[in-house]
Amino acid sequence: MAQGSGDQRAVGTADPEDSSPNMIVYRKIEDIITKMQDDKTGGVPIRTVKSFLSKIPSVVTGTDIVQWLMKNLSIEDPVEAIHLGSLIAAQGYIFPISDHVLSMKDDGTFYRFQAPYFWPSNCWEPENTDYAIYLCKRTMQNKARLELADYEAENLARLQRAFARKWEFIFMQAEAQVKIDRKKDKTERKILDSQERAFWDVHRPVPGCVNTTEMDIRKCRRLKNPQKVKKSVYGVAEEPQTQSPVHMPSQPVRKTTKEDIRKQITFLNAQIDRHCLKMSKVAERFWLAVQDLKKQPLQDVAKRVEEIWQEFLSPGAPSAINLDSHSYEITSQNLKEGGRYTYEDAQEHIYKLMKSDSYARFLRSNAYQDLLLAKKKGKSLAGKRLTGLMQSS
């Protein structure tokens, strides 16, 4: 369970304007959350609860949270404490583990703290491609708790229509993340799944719930500055759109011919191959850079660590790599020490991606198949020439 701390709040922060109204509110909430998780100062007891045939890790009850708020914030009215807890939950800092509605109840409902990586102060504005990857990933996991709700299934269908030309790439990203997630510890995976779901409950809420991100002042400022880089959850950039495909009505589509389909498939395959080749090259460069870092003299290590971060992992990095939230958070924490093995976890994650996806995709690529075909033709042609020479002699 990721615990909130003062220094963790700064991890991944993309917007330096800490004096903005939203950021001031976020910092106040995070101070409360940090104290709430601090066992030394009488925080809320976080425990693992046994249920029928399973265990529920790292949870607190709604009653514990309400009582802590009343005791530590000098609140006399329980209704006021519940209201404050609901406001904190609406921002995604606390979430119920069995419900998509982010609100506080003064009962035995189990809640979990959000990982600092997903805190709103990190200036998240996830793209619709990120949401598509998340929903697609959920469909691949055979768990009852990860089944799509009706509104999520509808959103997935709309996104699939909107991103038809890049859907194979989205599916590939989701598939790679599922393979990595399956290798994680079961308890850790269960916690991370719930934290990721809560993140999307904030940014793509249940119909009828208030979207706390719609009136974000930072968004209004960003509209005036469209060149500002947006942060992506899974490292996938999206073309700018004036309307979210999740809420976009389906448009009438003209009948397509077989020739149109053939051209579209050819173009899509070429685009995917080109993009995958680019992503593979970036991943390989990162892996080699980390290998080289381990051989650097001690006096050069800190400088090289910072260079790798700026090139591959910082917000708006020129050669951004695709890291999952857990690996990114660990790497961000390791960055404070700046040692030779700062990027060990990230390097292992990238290696697994290259092994399970990039290499297999290369073997299926048109370029490799053409190379094999040319080699076979070359062998057969050389054999015919040799046979001819032997007969003529």
Side-chain angles (χ1 to χ4, degrees), residues 76 93 112 118 184 225 256 289 321 332 381 391:
E76 297 180 356
Y93 288 95
R112 189 170 282 147
F118 288 123
K184 293 179 180 176
N225 185 15
T256 55
I321 58 173
S332 301
L381 183 60
Q391 289 177 350

Side-chain angles (χ1 to χ4, degrees), residues 36 58 121 138 166 178 228 253 352 365 369 375 387:
M36 201 179 289
S58 302
S121 59
R138 287 261 301 276
K166 62 193 301 187
V178 169
K228 188 164 183 178
V253 182
K352 289 177 180 177
S365 67
Q369 295 299 325
K375 187 177 180 181
T387 303

Side-chain angles (χ1 to χ4, degrees), residues 48-57 110 186 190:
T48 297
V49 180
K50 292 183 179 180
S51 65
F52 183 66
L53 296 179
S54 65
K55 293 182 180 180
I56 307 175
F110 291 129
K186 183 179 179 181
K190 186 180 292 187

Side-chain angles (χ1 to χ4, degrees), residues 56-312:
I56 307 175
S58 302
V59 293
V60 298
T61 64
T63 301
D64 289 339
I65 294 174
V66 171
Q67 289 179 353
W68 188 93
L69 291 172
M70 294 178 66
K71 178 181 177 182
N72 291 270
L73 301 182
S74 301
I75 300 174
E76 297 180 356
D77 188 357
V79 176
E80 184 180 349
I82 294 172
H83 177 65
L84 177 59
S86 294
L87 293 177
I88 295 174
Q91 299 294 336
Y93 288 95
I94 307 172
F95 60 90
I97 65 170
S98 58
D99 194 354
H100 288 278
V101 180
L102 301 175
S103 62
M104 181 60 60
K105 299 177 182 177
D106 186 9
D107 56 20
T109 302
F110 291 129
Y111 290 81
R112 189 170 282 147
F113 291 103
Q114 182 59 283
Y117 178 79
F118 288 123
W119 282 357
S121 59
N122 287 336
C123 301
W124 286 111
E125 285 198 28
E127 307 285 357
N128 282 315
T129 43
D130 293 325
Y131 189 43
I133 291 173
Y134 165 70
L135 294 177
C136 192
K137 184 169 66 171
R138 287 261 301 276
T139 62
M140 300 176 187
Q141 296 169 313
N142 187 24
K143 299 288 183 182
R145 57 187 169 83
L146 296 173
E147 288 182 359
L148 295 182
D150 291 342
Y151 79 95
E152 290 177 316
E154 292 173 4
N155 289 344
L156 178 61
R158 293 192 183 101
L159 287 166
Q160 192 167 5
R161 289 196 296 268
F163 297 130
R165 298 185 67 179
K166 62 193 301 187
W167 192 255
E168 185 173 348
F169 172 65
I170 290 173
F171 185 87
M172 176 189 71
Q173 290 286 323
E175 195 174 33
Q177 290 182 30
V178 169
K179 288 180 181 177
I180 293 172
D181 289 344
R182 284 172 180 165
K183 297 177 182 178
K184 293 179 180 176
D185 177 70
K186 183 179 179 181
T187 301
E188 178 191 9
R189 189 168 68 243
K190 186 180 292 187
I191 293 173
L192 291 175
D193 286 342
S194 68
Q195 290 171 337
E196 188 178 20
R197 190 211 70 191
F199 171 80
W200 287 112
D201 286 341
V202 173
H203 293 275
R204 300 292 188 274
V206 179
C209 291
V210 176
N211 188 340
T212 57
T213 65
E214 283 183 342
M215 299 304 293
D216 195 330
I217 295 174
R218 288 179 291 104
K219 286 189 177 181
C220 299
R221 290 207 311 271
R222 193 163 283 123
L223 290 176
K224 298 177 183 178
N225 185 15
Q227 300 302 321
K228 188 164 183 178
V229 177
K230 292 185 177 181
K231 189 172 181 181
S232 173
V233 181
Y234 306 117
V236 184
E238 177 188 348
E239 297 89 349
Q241 296 187 5
T242 56
Q243 188 177 14
S244 168
V246 175
H247 305 290
M248 185 166 53
S250 57
Q251 301 294 332
V253 182
R254 71 175 183 85
K255 272 195 171 183
T256 55
T257 63
K258 290 184 178 180
E259 183 65 19
D260 291 336
I261 296 174
R262 187 186 64 79
K263 288 181 179 179
Q264 187 175 2
I265 292 174
T266 303
F267 174 77
L268 181 59
N269 286 334
Q271 290 289 95
I272 291 173
D273 288 343
R274 191 178 299 115
H275 184 86
C276 290
L277 180 61
K278 180 181 177 182
M279 295 290 288
S280 299
K281 286 182 177 178
V282 171
E284 182 181 357
R285 279 174 46 212
F286 172 77
W287 192 89
L288 291 174
V290 175
Q291 285 294 99
D292 181 65
L293 172 65
K294 297 174 183 177
K295 305 173 185 176
Q296 292 291 322
L298 188 60
Q299 62 269 22
D300 298 336
V301 168
K303 180 182 177 183
R304 186 60 183 141
V305 165
E306 181 62 26
E307 289 175 352
I308 293 175
W309 175 266
Q310 293 299 330
E311 183 178 0
F312 297 102

